[in-house]
Amino acid sequence: MSNTIDPVLGSNEVMSCRLVGGFSIFVQVLVGTLGFSTLIIKRYFEQPRRSWLVWGFDVSKQMISGTIMHMCNLLVSVPSGASTAENATNPCA
């Protein structure tokens, strides 16, 4: 995590970038809750309605594939956001 001087606060104040914090975890939980709630609501409106077991297997496939894609995204973003001496990047940008 690199620190940069904030031009608004002046040269004595240093701002830092935090990718993971309370707000980011709140947003992730909110998005997950909304997505899962949407799947439950969708189940009640489908015709013919699948059993809970079949529905659970279908939802678990979606959750596993979403988790794998999220992990792949994190694995790709780490090297692409790495700072080098010639090219300093900002992972918060």
Side-chain angles (χ1 to χ4, degrees), residues 5-50:
I5 304 297
D6 187 355
V8 175
L9 297 175
S11 61
N12 293 335
E13 298 292 327
V14 177
M15 64 179 193
S16 64
C17 172
R18 287 186 51 196
L19 291 177
V20 177
F23 181 71
S24 63
I25 292 174
F26 168 75
V27 169
Q28 291 292 317
V29 169
L30 179 67
V31 169
T33 302
L34 287 173
F36 190 70
S37 299
T38 302
L39 291 172
I40 291 175
I41 291 169
K42 181 183 172 190
R43 182 190 182 276
Y44 283 107
F45 286 105
E46 68 183 2
Q47 293 297 329
R49 188 176 298 165
R50 296 171 285 173

Short mmCIF file of all heavy atoms in Angstrom, two decimals, residues 5-50:
data_model
loop_
_atom_site.label_atom_id
_atom_site.label_comp_id
_atom_site.label_asym_id
_atom_site.label_seq_id
_atom_site.Cartn_x
_atom_site.Cartn_y
_atom_site.Cartn_z
N ILE A 5 0.96 12.10 -1.00
CA ILE A 5 0.70 13.37 -0.35
C ILE A 5 -0.60 13.94 -0.90
O ILE A 5 -0.81 14.01 -2.10
CB ILE A 5 1.86 14.36 -0.60
CG1 ILE A 5 3.19 13.77 -0.15
CG2 ILE A 5 1.59 15.69 0.07
CD1 ILE A 5 3.28 13.49 1.32
N ASP A 6 -1.47 14.34 -0.01
CA ASP A 6 -2.75 14.92 -0.42
C ASP A 6 -2.55 16.39 -0.74
O ASP A 6 -2.16 17.17 0.14
CB ASP A 6 -3.77 14.75 0.69
CG ASP A 6 -5.18 15.17 0.30
OD1 ASP A 6 -5.34 15.69 -0.82
OD2 ASP A 6 -6.09 14.98 1.10
N PRO A 7 -2.80 16.81 -2.01
CA PRO A 7 -2.57 18.21 -2.36
C PRO A 7 -3.54 19.16 -1.65
O PRO A 7 -3.22 20.32 -1.46
CB PRO A 7 -2.77 18.23 -3.87
CG PRO A 7 -3.56 17.02 -4.20
CD PRO A 7 -3.26 16.02 -3.14
N VAL A 8 -4.70 18.68 -1.24
CA VAL A 8 -5.66 19.55 -0.56
C VAL A 8 -5.25 19.79 0.88
O VAL A 8 -5.32 20.90 1.39
CB VAL A 8 -7.07 18.93 -0.63
CG1 VAL A 8 -8.07 19.75 0.16
CG2 VAL A 8 -7.51 18.79 -2.08
N LEU A 9 -4.79 18.73 1.55
CA LEU A 9 -4.42 18.85 2.96
C LEU A 9 -3.04 19.45 3.16
O LEU A 9 -2.71 19.90 4.24
CB LEU A 9 -4.49 17.48 3.63
CG LEU A 9 -5.87 16.83 3.68
CD1 LEU A 9 -5.77 15.44 4.26
CD2 LEU A 9 -6.84 17.68 4.46
N GLY A 10 -2.21 19.42 2.16
CA GLY A 10 -0.86 19.94 2.28
C GLY A 10 0.15 18.83 2.38
O GLY A 10 -0.17 17.66 2.43
N SER A 11 1.40 19.23 2.41
CA SER A 11 2.48 18.25 2.36
C SER A 11 2.67 17.52 3.69
O SER A 11 3.30 16.49 3.74
CB SER A 11 3.79 18.91 1.95
OG SER A 11 4.13 19.90 2.91
N ASN A 12 2.14 18.04 4.80
CA ASN A 12 2.34 17.38 6.09
C ASN A 12 1.36 16.23 6.31
O ASN A 12 1.64 15.33 7.08
CB ASN A 12 2.18 18.39 7.23
CG ASN A 12 3.28 19.41 7.22
OD1 ASN A 12 4.37 19.15 6.71
ND2 ASN A 12 3.01 20.59 7.77
N GLU A 13 0.20 16.27 5.68
CA GLU A 13 -0.80 15.22 5.84
C GLU A 13 -0.62 14.17 4.76
O GLU A 13 -0.44 14.49 3.60
CB GLU A 13 -2.20 15.80 5.76
CG GLU A 13 -2.52 16.81 6.84
CD GLU A 13 -2.59 16.18 8.21
OE1 GLU A 13 -3.02 15.01 8.30
OE2 GLU A 13 -2.21 16.84 9.18
N VAL A 14 -0.68 12.91 5.14
CA VAL A 14 -0.51 11.81 4.20
C VAL A 14 -1.81 11.00 4.16
O VAL A 14 -2.34 10.63 5.20
CB VAL A 14 0.67 10.90 4.60
CG1 VAL A 14 0.77 9.72 3.66
CG2 VAL A 14 1.95 11.69 4.64
N MET A 15 -2.33 10.77 2.95
CA MET A 15 -3.52 9.92 2.83
C MET A 15 -3.08 8.55 2.35
O MET A 15 -2.09 8.41 1.64
CB MET A 15 -4.53 10.54 1.87
CG MET A 15 -4.08 10.65 0.46
SD MET A 15 -5.40 11.36 -0.53
CE MET A 15 -4.75 11.03 -2.15
N SER A 16 -3.79 7.53 2.76
CA SER A 16 -3.44 6.18 2.35
C SER A 16 -4.64 5.50 1.72
O SER A 16 -5.78 5.89 1.95
CB SER A 16 -2.94 5.36 3.53
OG SER A 16 -3.96 5.21 4.47
N CYS A 17 -4.37 4.50 0.94
CA CYS A 17 -5.40 3.76 0.22
C CYS A 17 -5.72 2.49 1.00
O CYS A 17 -4.82 1.72 1.33
CB CYS A 17 -4.89 3.42 -1.17
SG CYS A 17 -5.97 2.32 -2.06
N ARG A 18 -6.99 2.28 1.30
CA ARG A 18 -7.42 1.05 1.97
C ARG A 18 -8.45 0.37 1.10
O ARG A 18 -9.55 0.87 0.92
CB ARG A 18 -8.02 1.36 3.33
CG ARG A 18 -7.01 1.77 4.35
CD ARG A 18 -7.61 1.92 5.71
NE ARG A 18 -8.38 0.71 6.05
CZ ARG A 18 -9.25 0.68 7.02
NH1 ARG A 18 -9.48 1.73 7.75
NH2 ARG A 18 -9.92 -0.43 7.28
N LEU A 19 -8.07 -0.78 0.53
CA LEU A 19 -8.99 -1.52 -0.32
C LEU A 19 -9.98 -2.35 0.49
O LEU A 19 -11.10 -2.57 0.07
CB LEU A 19 -8.21 -2.43 -1.28
CG LEU A 19 -7.42 -1.72 -2.36
CD1 LEU A 19 -6.65 -2.74 -3.18
CD2 LEU A 19 -8.31 -0.89 -3.24
N VAL A 20 -9.55 -2.83 1.66
CA VAL A 20 -10.42 -3.66 2.49
C VAL A 20 -10.62 -2.94 3.81
O VAL A 20 -9.68 -2.59 4.50
CB VAL A 20 -9.79 -5.05 2.74
CG1 VAL A 20 -10.66 -5.88 3.65
CG2 VAL A 20 -9.56 -5.76 1.43
N GLY A 21 -11.87 -2.70 4.12
CA GLY A 21 -12.22 -2.04 5.37
C GLY A 21 -13.66 -2.34 5.71
O GLY A 21 -14.31 -3.19 5.08
N GLY A 22 -14.18 -1.63 6.68
CA GLY A 22 -15.55 -1.87 7.12
C GLY A 22 -16.58 -1.62 6.03
O GLY A 22 -17.51 -2.41 5.86
N PHE A 23 -16.42 -0.53 5.27
CA PHE A 23 -17.39 -0.21 4.24
C PHE A 23 -17.37 -1.23 3.11
O PHE A 23 -18.42 -1.63 2.61
CB PHE A 23 -17.14 1.19 3.69
CG PHE A 23 -18.13 1.59 2.64
CD1 PHE A 23 -19.44 1.86 2.97
CD2 PHE A 23 -17.74 1.68 1.31
CE1 PHE A 23 -20.37 2.22 2.01
CE2 PHE A 23 -18.66 2.04 0.33
CZ PHE A 23 -19.97 2.31 0.68
N SER A 24 -16.18 -1.66 2.69
CA SER A 24 -16.10 -2.62 1.59
C SER A 24 -16.71 -3.97 1.97
O SER A 24 -17.37 -4.61 1.16
CB SER A 24 -14.66 -2.80 1.13
OG SER A 24 -13.87 -3.34 2.17
N ILE A 25 -16.51 -4.39 3.20
CA ILE A 25 -17.11 -5.65 3.65
C ILE A 25 -18.63 -5.49 3.73
O ILE A 25 -19.37 -6.41 3.35
CB ILE A 25 -16.50 -6.08 5.00
CG1 ILE A 25 -15.04 -6.47 4.77
CG2 ILE A 25 -17.28 -7.23 5.62
CD1 ILE A 25 -14.26 -6.79 6.00
N PHE A 26 -19.11 -4.33 4.20
CA PHE A 26 -20.55 -4.07 4.24
C PHE A 26 -21.15 -4.17 2.84
O PHE A 26 -22.21 -4.78 2.64
CB PHE A 26 -20.82 -2.69 4.84
CG PHE A 26 -22.23 -2.23 4.65
CD1 PHE A 26 -23.27 -2.77 5.40
CD2 PHE A 26 -22.53 -1.25 3.72
CE1 PHE A 26 -24.58 -2.35 5.22
CE2 PHE A 26 -23.84 -0.82 3.53
CZ PHE A 26 -24.86 -1.37 4.29
N VAL A 27 -20.49 -3.59 1.85
CA VAL A 27 -20.99 -3.61 0.48
C VAL A 27 -21.02 -5.04 -0.05
O VAL A 27 -21.99 -5.46 -0.69
CB VAL A 27 -20.16 -2.69 -0.44
CG1 VAL A 27 -20.50 -2.90 -1.90
CG2 VAL A 27 -20.36 -1.24 -0.06
N GLN A 28 -19.99 -5.83 0.22
CA GLN A 28 -19.95 -7.22 -0.23
C GLN A 28 -21.09 -8.04 0.38
O GLN A 28 -21.73 -8.83 -0.30
CB GLN A 28 -18.60 -7.86 0.11
CG GLN A 28 -17.45 -7.33 -0.69
CD GLN A 28 -17.54 -7.71 -2.14
OE1 GLN A 28 -17.85 -8.84 -2.48
NE2 GLN A 28 -17.26 -6.76 -3.01
N VAL A 29 -21.33 -7.85 1.68
CA VAL A 29 -22.42 -8.57 2.36
C VAL A 29 -23.76 -8.13 1.79
O VAL A 29 -24.66 -8.96 1.55
CB VAL A 29 -22.35 -8.37 3.89
CG1 VAL A 29 -23.60 -8.88 4.58
CG2 VAL A 29 -21.12 -9.05 4.45
N LEU A 30 -23.93 -6.83 1.54
CA LEU A 30 -25.17 -6.32 0.97
C LEU A 30 -25.43 -6.90 -0.41
O LEU A 30 -26.54 -7.35 -0.71
CB LEU A 30 -25.14 -4.79 0.91
CG LEU A 30 -26.37 -4.11 0.33
CD1 LEU A 30 -27.57 -4.33 1.24
CD2 LEU A 30 -26.10 -2.64 0.11
N VAL A 31 -24.42 -6.92 -1.26
CA VAL A 31 -24.58 -7.46 -2.62
C VAL A 31 -24.90 -8.96 -2.56
O VAL A 31 -25.77 -9.44 -3.29
CB VAL A 31 -23.31 -7.19 -3.46
CG1 VAL A 31 -23.33 -7.97 -4.75
CG2 VAL A 31 -23.18 -5.70 -3.74
N GLY A 32 -24.22 -9.70 -1.69
CA GLY A 32 -24.50 -11.12 -1.55
C GLY A 32 -25.91 -11.39 -1.04
O GLY A 32 -26.61 -12.29 -1.53
N THR A 33 -26.36 -10.60 -0.08
CA THR A 33 -27.72 -10.75 0.46
C THR A 33 -28.77 -10.44 -0.60
O THR A 33 -29.76 -11.16 -0.73
CB THR A 33 -27.91 -9.84 1.68
OG1 THR A 33 -26.92 -10.18 2.67
CG2 THR A 33 -29.29 -10.00 2.28
N LEU A 34 -28.56 -9.37 -1.35
CA LEU A 34 -29.51 -9.02 -2.42
C LEU A 34 -29.55 -10.10 -3.49
O LEU A 34 -30.63 -10.45 -3.98
CB LEU A 34 -29.13 -7.68 -3.04
CG LEU A 34 -29.41 -6.44 -2.18
CD1 LEU A 34 -28.85 -5.20 -2.85
CD2 LEU A 34 -30.89 -6.30 -1.93
N GLY A 35 -28.39 -10.63 -3.87
CA GLY A 35 -28.36 -11.69 -4.88
C GLY A 35 -29.06 -12.95 -4.42
O GLY A 35 -29.86 -13.54 -5.16
N PHE A 36 -28.80 -13.37 -3.19
CA PHE A 36 -29.43 -14.59 -2.67
C PHE A 36 -30.93 -14.38 -2.49
O PHE A 36 -31.73 -15.28 -2.79
CB PHE A 36 -28.77 -14.99 -1.35
CG PHE A 36 -29.19 -16.35 -0.88
CD1 PHE A 36 -28.78 -17.49 -1.55
CD2 PHE A 36 -29.99 -16.50 0.24
CE1 PHE A 36 -29.17 -18.76 -1.13
CE2 PHE A 36 -30.38 -17.75 0.68
CZ PHE A 36 -29.97 -18.88 -0.01
N SER A 37 -31.33 -13.20 -2.01
CA SER A 37 -32.76 -12.91 -1.86
C SER A 37 -33.48 -12.93 -3.20
O SER A 37 -34.62 -13.40 -3.29
CB SER A 37 -32.95 -11.53 -1.21
OG SER A 37 -32.36 -11.50 0.06
N THR A 38 -32.81 -12.44 -4.24
CA THR A 38 -33.40 -12.47 -5.57
C THR A 38 -33.64 -13.90 -6.02
O THR A 38 -34.69 -14.21 -6.63
CB THR A 38 -32.48 -11.75 -6.57
OG1 THR A 38 -32.28 -10.41 -6.12
CG2 THR A 38 -33.06 -11.74 -7.96
N LEU A 39 -32.71 -14.80 -5.74
CA LEU A 39 -32.89 -16.20 -6.12
C LEU A 39 -34.05 -16.85 -5.37
O LEU A 39 -34.80 -17.65 -5.93
CB LEU A 39 -31.60 -16.99 -5.89
CG LEU A 39 -30.45 -16.63 -6.82
CD1 LEU A 39 -29.17 -17.31 -6.37
CD2 LEU A 39 -30.78 -17.01 -8.25
N ILE A 40 -34.22 -16.50 -4.09
CA ILE A 40 -35.33 -17.06 -3.32
C ILE A 40 -36.66 -16.54 -3.86
O ILE A 40 -37.62 -17.30 -4.03
CB ILE A 40 -35.17 -16.73 -1.82
CG1 ILE A 40 -33.99 -17.52 -1.25
CG2 ILE A 40 -36.45 -17.05 -1.04
CD1 ILE A 40 -33.66 -17.18 0.18
N ILE A 41 -36.73 -15.23 -4.14
CA ILE A 41 -37.97 -14.65 -4.69
C ILE A 41 -38.28 -15.27 -6.05
O ILE A 41 -39.43 -15.60 -6.35
CB ILE A 41 -37.84 -13.12 -4.78
CG1 ILE A 41 -37.81 -12.52 -3.37
CG2 ILE A 41 -38.98 -12.52 -5.59
CD1 ILE A 41 -37.43 -11.07 -3.32
N LYS A 42 -37.24 -15.45 -6.86
CA LYS A 42 -37.43 -16.06 -8.18
C LYS A 42 -38.01 -17.47 -8.06
O LYS A 42 -38.85 -17.88 -8.86
CB LYS A 42 -36.11 -16.08 -8.93
CG LYS A 42 -36.20 -16.66 -10.31
CD LYS A 42 -34.84 -16.70 -10.97
CE LYS A 42 -34.93 -17.47 -12.27
NZ LYS A 42 -33.64 -17.75 -12.84
N ARG A 43 -37.58 -18.21 -7.04
CA ARG A 43 -38.07 -19.58 -6.85
C ARG A 43 -39.58 -19.59 -6.60
O ARG A 43 -40.28 -20.47 -7.07
CB ARG A 43 -37.35 -20.25 -5.69
CG ARG A 43 -37.81 -21.68 -5.50
CD ARG A 43 -37.31 -22.29 -4.21
NE ARG A 43 -37.75 -23.68 -4.11
CZ ARG A 43 -38.93 -24.06 -3.66
NH1 ARG A 43 -39.82 -23.18 -3.27
NH2 ARG A 43 -39.24 -25.35 -3.61
N TYR A 44 -40.07 -18.63 -5.86
CA TYR A 44 -41.50 -18.60 -5.55
C TYR A 44 -42.36 -18.25 -6.76
O TYR A 44 -43.55 -18.56 -6.78
CB TYR A 44 -41.79 -17.63 -4.41
CG TYR A 44 -41.42 -18.21 -3.07
CD1 TYR A 44 -40.30 -17.78 -2.39
CD2 TYR A 44 -42.17 -19.25 -2.51
CE1 TYR A 44 -39.95 -18.32 -1.17
CE2 TYR A 44 -41.83 -19.80 -1.29
CZ TYR A 44 -40.72 -19.33 -0.63
OH TYR A 44 -40.37 -19.89 0.57
N PHE A 45 -41.79 -17.61 -7.77
CA PHE A 45 -42.56 -17.24 -8.96
C PHE A 45 -42.41 -18.21 -10.12
O PHE A 45 -43.11 -18.08 -11.12
CB PHE A 45 -42.17 -15.83 -9.42
CG PHE A 45 -42.72 -14.75 -8.53
CD1 PHE A 45 -41.89 -14.09 -7.65
CD2 PHE A 45 -44.06 -14.42 -8.56
CE1 PHE A 45 -42.39 -13.10 -6.82
CE2 PHE A 45 -44.57 -13.43 -7.74
CZ PHE A 45 -43.72 -12.78 -6.87
N GLU A 46 -41.49 -19.18 -10.03
CA GLU A 46 -41.30 -20.08 -11.16
C GLU A 46 -42.38 -21.15 -11.21
O GLU A 46 -42.89 -21.58 -10.19
CB GLU A 46 -39.90 -20.71 -11.11
CG GLU A 46 -39.67 -21.68 -9.98
CD GLU A 46 -38.27 -22.22 -9.94
OE1 GLU A 46 -37.44 -21.82 -10.76
OE2 GLU A 46 -38.00 -23.05 -9.06
N GLN A 47 -42.70 -21.56 -12.43
CA GLN A 47 -43.68 -22.61 -12.65
C GLN A 47 -43.11 -23.61 -13.64
O GLN A 47 -42.67 -23.18 -14.70
CB GLN A 47 -45.00 -22.03 -13.18
CG GLN A 47 -45.74 -21.15 -12.22
CD GLN A 47 -46.20 -21.89 -10.97
OE1 GLN A 47 -46.48 -23.08 -11.03
NE2 GLN A 47 -46.25 -21.19 -9.86
N PRO A 48 -43.06 -24.85 -13.44
CA PRO A 48 -43.33 -25.55 -12.18
C PRO A 48 -42.19 -25.30 -11.19
O PRO A 48 -41.03 -25.15 -11.59
CB PRO A 48 -43.39 -27.01 -12.58
CG PRO A 48 -42.54 -27.11 -13.79
CD PRO A 48 -42.67 -25.78 -14.49
N ARG A 49 -42.54 -25.26 -9.93
CA ARG A 49 -41.55 -24.97 -8.89
C ARG A 49 -40.70 -26.21 -8.61
O ARG A 49 -41.21 -27.31 -8.41
CB ARG A 49 -42.27 -24.54 -7.62
CG ARG A 49 -41.28 -24.04 -6.57
CD ARG A 49 -41.97 -23.52 -5.35
NE ARG A 49 -42.82 -22.39 -5.71
CZ ARG A 49 -43.76 -21.91 -4.91
NH1 ARG A 49 -44.00 -22.46 -3.75
NH2 ARG A 49 -44.48 -20.88 -5.29
N ARG A 50 -39.39 -26.01 -8.61
CA ARG A 50 -38.46 -27.11 -8.30
C ARG A 50 -38.47 -27.39 -6.80
O ARG A 50 -38.81 -26.53 -5.99
CB ARG A 50 -37.04 -26.74 -8.72
CG ARG A 50 -36.90 -26.55 -10.21
CD ARG A 50 -35.55 -25.98 -10.56
NE ARG A 50 -35.56 -24.55 -10.20
CZ ARG A 50 -34.50 -23.77 -10.25
NH1 ARG A 50 -33.34 -24.26 -10.62
NH2 ARG A 50 -34.58 -22.50 -9.92
#
